[in-house]
């Protein structure tokens, strides 16, 4: 039995981690393809720099997030781990040693000062320019190893001796900066040399000081000075250790970026570039002093999710020249990122790049962007060989770009689109025999990519781009199937808890990081508890536990989970019904008027009470897993009381809801609020009737949509679920596809049938909330779901329908690749199942008794 793919916590690269005792995970492969035995035990060795080894030998089948061995890591300490495992026979071979290295774990490990350009005027133009900061140092001999620890109040890019330190974008990302400021660690050994060296940072406002939010936004939310904090620790070949840090000896200067904003775009004057600015010996006679900025070093924390990076580059599918010389470029795919141009022109000529998701009458439709101008400008330097540029500190959501001021004729090879998002590892795939469904799934993937830019946002293009809790609450199961987002969402949950700690009432916010915004409607004072949104504090950790098996995450988030349920218990009436007029409810019910997104056919009190019951039930289960028996009993009783109140208040006691809407039944069935099988059968039958009466179009908003297909399926109406899925008239998922969508929309009718854009203010063409149906695609159409946390046990339960002749779902579980594929031919269903080592699968096929299958590949017929 061979061990492979050793991992530490949820890190893709375990360099500079913040966990002193990181848990280990690995996958096993049998000695030969014919052997299907399971791991029965394992042995871990962890070796330090002096060669000392700590060992643990355990009789256990566990291989995911198992405890660390030996003493905790110290700051900067590097150790190596290896594992071997065994089944019924002797232990297999040892794996290779895999290194793990701690970052700076304590505030006192930092000697660097946060420095800001003295010339930086907080009242400067809006948006403000970016700045260059630099320092020099000397090394007396060859370098054995070097680590750079760095972060910024703002966003930054580091260089050493004229070379970029990393390929990251918008580092250090967006956190609740007053509580958590992430730093990253880079191995920069190869960038240093004996003698004179230079290092520097390109620094812009980013989320820290830039304009954020809608209705004009607010800037300087976290502070009015940007700053960079960097500490370089070098070990020479002779063992000498040296530390260099940002301090008042650094210098700053204006750079070529005259203006940079995440919402506004970037202006870059190439004539103002400073070649060699990060190389030793650069002339700094015109550079300014820097000043120290106060920074609470206790907020510094190692990054626990992957950085944002350039993911791919797309070429245009068409370039149309307008009579006035402008060009409209179509990339064929709605995306998040920016343009990269290759231009040759006279010095001082300005190329203007505007962005939009859709066209109207052949022109960019920018109205949905609201106050996000999303315009980049490049002032040509004027070199004969041409010049290449892309913005550094902004992103846009777009499929189309308008380019004006281009010297001469624009050729397709002169422009490309750089796709940018968090560097998540793809883990889930789905395809079937219907090209439209495949396009729908691909749209959902692209919407996730565009909205996972360091935090999970609602939309990536307009003047909002906030970490709305309700959106990720409904989408988390889909996200965790498609990509390994455990580290990223775990980091976001830390900010959610920090924001809740800061709230005077301890109420979970509606978006995180929590910032003040100018909302387009009146709201109650303070942080108002919002059903379906605040429930993210409970339901996102639960979704991650179900998909990754991380009980430690539940333990860490448990206080926040309990705090939310306690908040709702206080907000509800004594009869356990949560009545509150100011709620988002089933947001963007398709019957809602364009400018009244919260108007829903489903009463808000019904939605609130259903979510109250759901979160209390999940909390009780989490408490039981964590050994908190008194909490388990208390919240289980509370959940039952709320379920009883739901039935008493919102149903006739026999399964019919007073609201009689798709969402009311989806919630009642999906959250197991009905007391008996008979009630569930009545509710399911009525839901199927409502769906049929609506012509199999969708009549649910953000909160009903994730549940409606499942509610139909579990009550025996899978055919109705397929007809709902496959409908092409509006509102439906495939209406968007028929209209040429390449991402999922915020509204079912973001684009109207005549090709015009919905007049409502909430009209984004890249929202993933309605794409939460992909979770049903994976589990029911594809037939692959977790039957135990972390996919230790698989549930293989495909339910073919909708005229599909085949479907496939595959997922890289913590144990390895799991896959289900089926095909129908001549009335016969053939299902192939791949179960990774260390797992087993419950295979439940139509018309057959369920069976259990072990590791390996199996074929079944029904």
């Amino acid at each position: 039995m061979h061990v492979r793919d050793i991992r530490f916590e949820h890190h893709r690269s375990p360099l500079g981690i913040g966990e002193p005792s990181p848990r280990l995970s690995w996958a096993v492969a049998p000695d030969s393809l014919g052997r299907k035995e399971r791991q029965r035990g394992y042995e871990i060795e962890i070796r330090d720099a002096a060669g000392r080894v700590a060992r643990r030998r355990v009789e256990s089948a566990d291989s995911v997030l198992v405890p660390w061995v030996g003493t905790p890591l110290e700051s900067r300490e590097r150790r190596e781990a290896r594992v071997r495992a065994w089944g019924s026979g002797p232990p297999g071979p040892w794996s290779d040693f895999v290194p793990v290295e701690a970052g700076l774990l304590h505030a006192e490990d930092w000697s660097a000062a946060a420095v800001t350009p003295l010339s930086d005027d907080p009242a400067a133009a809006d948006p403000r320019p970016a700045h260059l900061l630099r320092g020099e140092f000397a090394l007396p001999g060859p370098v054995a190893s070097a680590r750079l620890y760095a972060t910024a109040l703002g966003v930054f890019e580091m260089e050493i001796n004229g070379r970029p330190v990393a390929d990251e974008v918008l580092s250090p990302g967006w956190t609740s900066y007053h509580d958590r400021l992430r730093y990253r660690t880079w191995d920069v050994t190869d960038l240093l040399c004996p003698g004179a060296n230079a290092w520097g940072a390109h620094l812009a406002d980013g989320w820290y000081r830039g304009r954020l939010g809608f209705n004009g936004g607010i800037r300087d939310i976290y502070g009015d000075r940007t700053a960079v904090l960097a500490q370089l620790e070098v070990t020479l070949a002779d063992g000498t250790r040296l530390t260099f840090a940002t301090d008042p000896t650094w210098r700053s200067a204006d750079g070529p970026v005259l203006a940079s904003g995440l919402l506004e775009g970037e202006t870059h004057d190439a004539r103002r570039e400073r070649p060699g600015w990060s190389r030793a010996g650069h002339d700094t006679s015109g550079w300014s002093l820097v000043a120290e900025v106060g920074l609470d070093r206790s907020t510094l924390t190692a990054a626990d999710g992957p950085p944002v990076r350039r993911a791919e580059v797309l070429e245009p599918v068409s370039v149309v020249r307008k009579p006035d010389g402008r060009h409209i470029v179509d990339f064929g795919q709605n995306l998040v990122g920016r343009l990269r141009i290759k231009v040759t022109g006279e010095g001082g000529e300005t190329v203007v790049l505007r962005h939009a998701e859709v066209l109207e009458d052949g022109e960019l439709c920018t109205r949905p962007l609201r106050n996000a101008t999303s315009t980049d400008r490049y002032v040509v330097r004027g070199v004969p060989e041409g010049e290449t540029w892309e913005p550094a500190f902004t992103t846009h959501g777009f499929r189309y770009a308008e380019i004006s001021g281009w010297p001469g004729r624009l050729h397709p090879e002169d422009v490309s689109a750089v796709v940018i998002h968090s560097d998540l590892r793809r883990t889930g795939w789905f395809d079937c025999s219907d090209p439209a469904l495949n396009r729908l799934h691909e749209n959902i993937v692209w919407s996730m990519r565009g909205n996972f830019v360091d935090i999970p946002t609602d939309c990536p293009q307009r003047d909002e781009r906030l970490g709305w809790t309700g959106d990720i609450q409904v989408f988390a199961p889909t996200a965790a199937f498609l990509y390994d987002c455990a580290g990223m969402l775990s980091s976001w949950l830390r900010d959610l808890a920090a924001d809740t700690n800061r709230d005077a009432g301890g109420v979970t916010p509606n978006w995180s990081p929590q910032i003040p915004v100018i909302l387009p409607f009146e709201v109650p004072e303070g942080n108002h508890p919002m059903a379906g949104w605040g429930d993210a504090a409970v339901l996102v950790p639960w979704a991650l536990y179900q998909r990754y098996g991380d009980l430690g995450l539940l333990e860490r988030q448990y206080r926040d989970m309990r705090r939310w349920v306690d908040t709702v218990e206080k907000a509800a009436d004594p009869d356990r019904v949560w009545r509150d007029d100011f709620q988002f409810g089933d947001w963007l019910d398709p019957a809602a008027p364009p400018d009244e997104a919260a108007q829903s056919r489903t009463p808000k009190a019904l939605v609130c009470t259903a979510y109250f019951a759901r979160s209390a039930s999940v909390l009780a289960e989490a408490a039981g897993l964590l050994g908190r028996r008194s909490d388990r009993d208390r919240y289980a009783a509370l959940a039952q009381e709320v379920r009883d109140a739901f039935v008493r208040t919102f149903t006739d006691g026999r399964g019919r809801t007073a609201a009689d809407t798709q969402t009311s039944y989806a919630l009642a069935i999906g959250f197991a609020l009905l007391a008996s099988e008979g009630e569930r059968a009545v509710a399911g039958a009525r839901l199927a009737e409502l769906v049929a009466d609506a012509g199999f179009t969708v009549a649910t908003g953000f909160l009903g949509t994730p549940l409606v297909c499942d509610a139909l399926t579990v009550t025996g109406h899978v055919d109705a679920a397929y007809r709902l899925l496959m409908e092409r008239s509006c509102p439906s998922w495939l209406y968007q596809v028929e209209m040429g969508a390449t991402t999922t929309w915020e509204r079912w009718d973001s684009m109207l049938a005549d090709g015009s854009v919905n007049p409502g203010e909430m009209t984004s063409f890249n929202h993933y909330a309605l794409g939460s149906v992909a979770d049903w695609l994976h589990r029911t159409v594809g037939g692959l779901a977790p039957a135990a946390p972390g996919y230790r046990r698989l549930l293989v339960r495909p339910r073919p329908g909708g005229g599909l002749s085949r479907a496939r779902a595959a997922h890289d579980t913590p144990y390895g690749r799991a896959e289900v594929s089926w095909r129908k031919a001549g009335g016969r269903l053939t299902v192939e199942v791949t179960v990774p080592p260390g797992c087993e699968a419950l295979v439940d096929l139509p018309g057959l008794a369920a069976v259990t299958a072990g590791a390996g590949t199996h074929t079944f017929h029904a």
Side-chain angles (χ1 to χ4, degrees), residues 668-692:
I669 297 166
F671 287 171
L673 303 180
L674 303 177
S676 69
E677 287 294 334
E679 290 175 57
R680 285 190 285 275
V682 169
R686 181 54 184 158
L687 175 58
E689 289 177 359
L690 289 173
V691 169

PDB file of all heavy atoms in Angstrom, residues 668-692:
ATOM      1  N   ALA A 668     -40.134  23.569   3.403  1.00  0.00           N
ATOM      2  CA  ALA A 668     -40.750  22.619   4.319  1.00  0.00           C
ATOM      3  C   ALA A 668     -40.200  21.212   4.117  1.00  0.00           C
ATOM      4  O   ALA A 668     -39.941  20.482   5.081  1.00  0.00           O
ATOM      5  CB  ALA A 668     -42.268  22.629   4.136  1.00  0.00           C
ATOM      6  N   ILE A 669     -40.015  20.829   2.855  1.00  0.00           N
ATOM      7  CA  ILE A 669     -39.497  19.488   2.567  1.00  0.00           C
ATOM      8  C   ILE A 669     -37.986  19.449   2.741  1.00  0.00           C
ATOM      9  O   ILE A 669     -37.439  18.544   3.390  1.00  0.00           O
ATOM     10  CB  ILE A 669     -39.890  19.071   1.139  1.00  0.00           C
ATOM     11  CG1 ILE A 669     -41.413  18.992   1.002  1.00  0.00           C
ATOM     12  CG2 ILE A 669     -39.249  17.727   0.777  1.00  0.00           C
ATOM     13  CD1 ILE A 669     -41.895  18.916  -0.437  1.00  0.00           C
ATOM     14  N   GLY A 670     -37.281  20.419   2.163  1.00  0.00           N
ATOM     15  CA  GLY A 670     -35.821  20.401   2.181  1.00  0.00           C
ATOM     16  C   GLY A 670     -35.228  20.522   3.561  1.00  0.00           C
ATOM     17  O   GLY A 670     -34.156  19.956   3.834  1.00  0.00           O
ATOM     18  N   PHE A 671     -35.910  21.242   4.457  1.00  0.00           N
ATOM     19  CA  PHE A 671     -35.405  21.403   5.821  1.00  0.00           C
ATOM     20  C   PHE A 671     -36.067  20.434   6.799  1.00  0.00           C
ATOM     21  O   PHE A 671     -35.919  20.594   8.018  1.00  0.00           O
ATOM     22  CB  PHE A 671     -35.630  22.842   6.290  1.00  0.00           C
ATOM     23  CG  PHE A 671     -34.708  23.850   5.640  1.00  0.00           C
ATOM     24  CD1 PHE A 671     -34.910  25.210   5.830  1.00  0.00           C
ATOM     25  CD2 PHE A 671     -33.644  23.456   4.847  1.00  0.00           C
ATOM     26  CE1 PHE A 671     -34.067  26.149   5.250  1.00  0.00           C
ATOM     27  CE2 PHE A 671     -32.798  24.375   4.258  1.00  0.00           C
ATOM     28  CZ  PHE A 671     -33.019  25.730   4.459  1.00  0.00           C
ATOM     29  N   ALA A 672     -36.788  19.431   6.285  1.00  0.00           N
ATOM     30  CA  ALA A 672     -37.401  18.383   7.115  1.00  0.00           C
ATOM     31  C   ALA A 672     -38.260  18.977   8.227  1.00  0.00           C
ATOM     32  O   ALA A 672     -38.164  18.597   9.401  1.00  0.00           O
ATOM     33  CB  ALA A 672     -36.320  17.466   7.698  1.00  0.00           C
ATOM     34  N   LEU A 673     -39.134  19.908   7.848  1.00  0.00           N
ATOM     35  CA  LEU A 673     -39.964  20.593   8.837  1.00  0.00           C
ATOM     36  C   LEU A 673     -41.297  19.893   9.061  1.00  0.00           C
ATOM     37  O   LEU A 673     -41.993  20.209  10.042  1.00  0.00           O
ATOM     38  CB  LEU A 673     -40.215  22.034   8.385  1.00  0.00           C
ATOM     39  CG  LEU A 673     -38.961  22.878   8.123  1.00  0.00           C
ATOM     40  CD1 LEU A 673     -39.342  24.277   7.683  1.00  0.00           C
ATOM     41  CD2 LEU A 673     -38.068  22.925   9.352  1.00  0.00           C
ATOM     42  N   LEU A 674     -41.688  18.988   8.197  1.00  0.00           N
ATOM     43  CA  LEU A 674     -42.973  18.307   8.306  1.00  0.00           C
ATOM     44  C   LEU A 674     -42.817  17.039   9.131  1.00  0.00           C
ATOM     45  O   LEU A 674     -41.788  16.354   9.078  1.00  0.00           O
ATOM     46  CB  LEU A 674     -43.515  18.001   6.916  1.00  0.00           C
ATOM     47  CG  LEU A 674     -43.670  19.239   6.019  1.00  0.00           C
ATOM     48  CD1 LEU A 674     -44.133  18.837   4.632  1.00  0.00           C
ATOM     49  CD2 LEU A 674     -44.623  20.255   6.648  1.00  0.00           C
ATOM     50  N   ALA A 675     -43.865  16.715   9.871  1.00  0.00           N
ATOM     51  CA  ALA A 675     -43.729  15.706  10.922  1.00  0.00           C
ATOM     52  C   ALA A 675     -43.815  14.277  10.414  1.00  0.00           C
ATOM     53  O   ALA A 675     -43.248  13.366  11.020  1.00  0.00           O
ATOM     54  CB  ALA A 675     -44.803  15.942  11.989  1.00  0.00           C
ATOM     55  N   SER A 676     -44.512  14.038   9.330  1.00  0.00           N
ATOM     56  CA  SER A 676     -44.764  12.654   8.937  1.00  0.00           C
ATOM     57  C   SER A 676     -44.536  12.457   7.444  1.00  0.00           C
ATOM     58  O   SER A 676     -44.528  13.415   6.666  1.00  0.00           O
ATOM     59  CB  SER A 676     -46.203  12.267   9.288  1.00  0.00           C
ATOM     60  OG  SER A 676     -47.118  12.976   8.461  1.00  0.00           O
ATOM     61  N   GLU A 677     -44.401  11.188   7.066  1.00  0.00           N
ATOM     62  CA  GLU A 677     -44.270  10.858   5.650  1.00  0.00           C
ATOM     63  C   GLU A 677     -45.514  11.286   4.885  1.00  0.00           C
ATOM     64  O   GLU A 677     -45.436  11.725   3.735  1.00  0.00           O
ATOM     65  CB  GLU A 677     -44.032   9.358   5.487  1.00  0.00           C
ATOM     66  CG  GLU A 677     -42.649   8.884   5.895  1.00  0.00           C
ATOM     67  CD  GLU A 677     -41.555   9.441   4.995  1.00  0.00           C
ATOM     68  OE1 GLU A 677     -41.855   9.761   3.819  1.00  0.00           O
ATOM     69  OE2 GLU A 677     -40.413   9.564   5.458  1.00  0.00           O
ATOM     70  N   GLY A 678     -46.669  11.155   5.526  1.00  0.00           N
ATOM     71  CA  GLY A 678     -47.891  11.563   4.867  1.00  0.00           C
ATOM     72  C   GLY A 678     -47.905  13.047   4.549  1.00  0.00           C
ATOM     73  O   GLY A 678     -48.303  13.457   3.441  1.00  0.00           O
ATOM     74  N   GLU A 679     -47.467  13.863   5.494  1.00  0.00           N
ATOM     75  CA  GLU A 679     -47.405  15.299   5.254  1.00  0.00           C
ATOM     76  C   GLU A 679     -46.409  15.619   4.144  1.00  0.00           C
ATOM     77  O   GLU A 679     -46.657  16.475   3.280  1.00  0.00           O
ATOM     78  CB  GLU A 679     -47.012  16.028   6.537  1.00  0.00           C
ATOM     79  CG  GLU A 679     -48.065  16.026   7.618  1.00  0.00           C
ATOM     80  CD  GLU A 679     -47.566  16.659   8.890  1.00  0.00           C
ATOM     81  OE1 GLU A 679     -47.140  17.835   8.840  1.00  0.00           O
ATOM     82  OE2 GLU A 679     -47.570  15.990   9.945  1.00  0.00           O
ATOM     83  N   ARG A 680     -45.284  14.940   4.166  1.00  0.00           N
ATOM     84  CA  ARG A 680     -44.281  15.184   3.125  1.00  0.00           C
ATOM     85  C   ARG A 680     -44.812  14.780   1.752  1.00  0.00           C
ATOM     86  O   ARG A 680     -44.550  15.442   0.746  1.00  0.00           O
ATOM     87  CB  ARG A 680     -42.987  14.447   3.459  1.00  0.00           C
ATOM     88  CG  ARG A 680     -42.188  15.111   4.580  1.00  0.00           C
ATOM     89  CD  ARG A 680     -40.807  14.490   4.723  1.00  0.00           C
ATOM     90  NE  ARG A 680     -40.875  13.190   5.359  1.00  0.00           N
ATOM     91  CZ  ARG A 680     -40.900  12.984   6.685  1.00  0.00           C
ATOM     92  NH1 ARG A 680     -40.876  14.017   7.505  1.00  0.00           N
ATOM     93  NH2 ARG A 680     -40.946  11.763   7.184  1.00  0.00           N
ATOM     94  N   ALA A 681     -45.560  13.692   1.708  1.00  0.00           N
ATOM     95  CA  ALA A 681     -46.121  13.257   0.429  1.00  0.00           C
ATOM     96  C   ALA A 681     -47.117  14.279  -0.109  1.00  0.00           C
ATOM     97  O   ALA A 681     -47.119  14.596  -1.312  1.00  0.00           O
ATOM     98  CB  ALA A 681     -46.794  11.899   0.598  1.00  0.00           C
ATOM     99  N   VAL A 682     -47.936  14.817   0.774  1.00  0.00           N
ATOM    100  CA  VAL A 682     -48.901  15.835   0.350  1.00  0.00           C
ATOM    101  C   VAL A 682     -48.163  17.081  -0.135  1.00  0.00           C
ATOM    102  O   VAL A 682     -48.500  17.669  -1.175  1.00  0.00           O
ATOM    103  CB  VAL A 682     -49.855  16.186   1.512  1.00  0.00           C
ATOM    104  CG1 VAL A 682     -50.684  17.431   1.179  1.00  0.00           C
ATOM    105  CG2 VAL A 682     -50.778  15.006   1.803  1.00  0.00           C
ATOM    106  N   ALA A 683     -47.145  17.486   0.618  1.00  0.00           N
ATOM    107  CA  ALA A 683     -46.381  18.682   0.241  1.00  0.00           C
ATOM    108  C   ALA A 683     -45.683  18.474  -1.097  1.00  0.00           C
ATOM    109  O   ALA A 683     -45.671  19.368  -1.956  1.00  0.00           O
ATOM    110  CB  ALA A 683     -45.366  19.018   1.334  1.00  0.00           C
ATOM    111  N   GLY A 684     -45.097  17.304  -1.297  1.00  0.00           N
ATOM    112  CA  GLY A 684     -44.409  17.034  -2.552  1.00  0.00           C
ATOM    113  C   GLY A 684     -45.355  17.025  -3.734  1.00  0.00           C
ATOM    114  O   GLY A 684     -45.037  17.551  -4.814  1.00  0.00           O
ATOM    115  N   ALA A 685     -46.532  16.437  -3.531  1.00  0.00           N
ATOM    116  CA  ALA A 685     -47.511  16.404  -4.617  1.00  0.00           C
ATOM    117  C   ALA A 685     -47.975  17.814  -4.971  1.00  0.00           C
ATOM    118  O   ALA A 685     -48.134  18.140  -6.161  1.00  0.00           O
ATOM    119  CB  ALA A 685     -48.699  15.538  -4.203  1.00  0.00           C
ATOM    120  N   ARG A 686     -48.197  18.647  -3.939  1.00  0.00           N
ATOM    121  CA  ARG A 686     -48.632  20.013  -4.223  1.00  0.00           C
ATOM    122  C   ARG A 686     -47.522  20.818  -4.886  1.00  0.00           C
ATOM    123  O   ARG A 686     -47.773  21.616  -5.799  1.00  0.00           O
ATOM    124  CB  ARG A 686     -49.074  20.706  -2.930  1.00  0.00           C
ATOM    125  CG  ARG A 686     -49.564  22.136  -3.125  1.00  0.00           C
ATOM    126  CD  ARG A 686     -50.656  22.210  -4.162  1.00  0.00           C
ATOM    127  NE  ARG A 686     -51.073  23.578  -4.423  1.00  0.00           N
ATOM    128  CZ  ARG A 686     -51.672  23.982  -5.535  1.00  0.00           C
ATOM    129  NH1 ARG A 686     -51.920  23.102  -6.508  1.00  0.00           N
ATOM    130  NH2 ARG A 686     -52.013  25.238  -5.697  1.00  0.00           N
ATOM    131  N   LEU A 687     -46.276  20.600  -4.467  1.00  0.00           N
ATOM    132  CA  LEU A 687     -45.155  21.283  -5.116  1.00  0.00           C
ATOM    133  C   LEU A 687     -45.091  20.896  -6.590  1.00  0.00           C
ATOM    134  O   LEU A 687     -44.900  21.757  -7.469  1.00  0.00           O
ATOM    135  CB  LEU A 687     -43.835  20.931  -4.416  1.00  0.00           C
ATOM    136  CG  LEU A 687     -42.557  21.469  -5.057  1.00  0.00           C
ATOM    137  CD1 LEU A 687     -42.586  22.985  -5.168  1.00  0.00           C
ATOM    138  CD2 LEU A 687     -41.323  21.018  -4.263  1.00  0.00           C
ATOM    139  N   ALA A 688     -45.256  19.627  -6.890  1.00  0.00           N
ATOM    140  CA  ALA A 688     -45.227  19.184  -8.283  1.00  0.00           C
ATOM    141  C   ALA A 688     -46.368  19.831  -9.078  1.00  0.00           C
ATOM    142  O   ALA A 688     -46.193  20.201 -10.247  1.00  0.00           O
ATOM    143  CB  ALA A 688     -45.323  17.662  -8.351  1.00  0.00           C
ATOM    144  N   GLU A 689     -47.536  19.972  -8.451  1.00  0.00           N
ATOM    145  CA  GLU A 689     -48.645  20.643  -9.118  1.00  0.00           C
ATOM    146  C   GLU A 689     -48.315  22.100  -9.420  1.00  0.00           C
ATOM    147  O   GLU A 689     -48.600  22.619 -10.514  1.00  0.00           O
ATOM    148  CB  GLU A 689     -49.901  20.570  -8.246  1.00  0.00           C
ATOM    149  CG  GLU A 689     -50.532  19.199  -8.152  1.00  0.00           C
ATOM    150  CD  GLU A 689     -51.723  19.201  -7.215  1.00  0.00           C
ATOM    151  OE1 GLU A 689     -52.034  20.271  -6.635  1.00  0.00           O
ATOM    152  OE2 GLU A 689     -52.347  18.133  -7.041  1.00  0.00           O
ATOM    153  N   LEU A 690     -47.736  22.787  -8.444  1.00  0.00           N
ATOM    154  CA  LEU A 690     -47.385  24.193  -8.646  1.00  0.00           C
ATOM    155  C   LEU A 690     -46.366  24.351  -9.769  1.00  0.00           C
ATOM    156  O   LEU A 690     -46.452  25.290 -10.578  1.00  0.00           O
ATOM    157  CB  LEU A 690     -46.830  24.785  -7.345  1.00  0.00           C
ATOM    158  CG  LEU A 690     -47.826  25.003  -6.211  1.00  0.00           C
ATOM    159  CD1 LEU A 690     -47.081  25.423  -4.941  1.00  0.00           C
ATOM    160  CD2 LEU A 690     -48.860  26.055  -6.591  1.00  0.00           C
ATOM    161  N   VAL A 691     -45.405  23.454  -9.804  1.00  0.00           N
ATOM    162  CA  VAL A 691     -44.399  23.513 -10.864  1.00  0.00           C
ATOM    163  C   VAL A 691     -45.059  23.293 -12.223  1.00  0.00           C
ATOM    164  O   VAL A 691     -44.773  24.001 -13.201  1.00  0.00           O
ATOM    165  CB  VAL A 691     -43.282  22.492 -10.597  1.00  0.00           C
ATOM    166  CG1 VAL A 691     -42.367  22.349 -11.808  1.00  0.00           C
ATOM    167  CG2 VAL A 691     -42.464  22.899  -9.372  1.00  0.00           C
ATOM    168  N   ALA A 692     -45.956  22.326 -12.296  1.00  0.00           N
ATOM    169  CA  ALA A 692     -46.655  22.067 -13.554  1.00  0.00           C
ATOM    170  C   ALA A 692     -47.547  23.241 -13.937  1.00  0.00           C
ATOM    171  O   ALA A 692     -47.606  23.636 -15.110  1.00  0.00           O
ATOM    172  CB  ALA A 692     -47.467  20.785 -13.439  1.00  0.00           C
TER     173      ALA A 692
END
